[in-house]
Amino acid sequence: MKSYREELWFETKTRRAYINITPQIEALIHKSGVREGLVLVNAMHITASVYINDDEPGLLRDYDDFLERLAPHEARYRHNDTGEDNGDAHLKRQVMGREVLVAITEGRLDFGPWEQIFYGEFDGRRRKRVLVKIIGE
């Protein structure tokens, strides 16, 4: 069995961002040489997320609006009493999730219709990483 590990790094200019990372994941699968297996993609920071959904601009704005209603940045968070200002980002990450696991079949992501892998950033403007771990034959 083969195993391949690489990190992707992101630094967004805005506090919140949604980045389609599917092309980068596909390139790493090709680089790994794995034809049948699994790819794990996970955010290595507690204020960022990796998730799967459709890459449709209206949906991305809907996510942003929904998450801001659920956990507004300007609300009062006990976490912010520590000197931080990102209590909302921790809650947004909890809702959107930490990681995805996708099957690799014949060297390609084995997706359903419209599925894409996204990096969700909820406390941006600094450098963060995403782990990509590929295993298989």
Side-chain angles (χ1 to χ4, degrees), residues 67-133:
L67 291 169
E68 191 59 21
R69 281 192 311 273
L70 193 63
H73 175 67
E74 298 303 324
R76 164 101 171 58
Y77 298 98
R78 290 178 194 89
H79 174 69
N80 292 357
D81 293 343
T82 67
E84 297 282 350
D85 70 345
N86 63 1
D88 68 304
H90 290 271
L91 297 175
K92 288 169 176 149
R93 185 273 179 96
Q94 201 65 26
V95 170
M96 296 301 285
R98 174 180 188 259
E99 64 199 13
V100 299
L101 182 67
V102 182
I104 300 167
T105 302
E106 297 178 358
R108 298 176 44 132
L109 291 166
D110 205 342
F111 273 157
W114 309 109
E115 288 188 324
Q116 300 286 296
I117 301 172
F118 284 85
Y119 170 73
E121 175 59 69
F122 308 115
D123 186 32
R125 302 168 303 185
R126 60 192 163 114
R127 205 161 176 244
K128 295 184 186 176
R129 65 192 165 124
V130 168
L131 170 69
V132 181
K133 181 75 174 192

Side-chain angles (χ1 to χ4, degrees), residues 7-18:
E7 294 175 357
L8 301 175
W9 288 86
F10 299 94
E11 185 169 358
T12 63
K13 295 184 189 319
T14 57
R15 181 174 291 275
R16 291 188 314 275
Y18 308 91

Side-chain angles (χ1 to χ4, degrees), residues 50-66:
V50 173
Y51 68 94
I52 293 176
N53 214 309
D54 188 359
D55 189 3
E56 192 278 312
L59 180 61
L60 297 177
R61 287 191 305 273
D62 290 340
Y63 268 135
D64 205 43
D65 291 347
F66 169 75

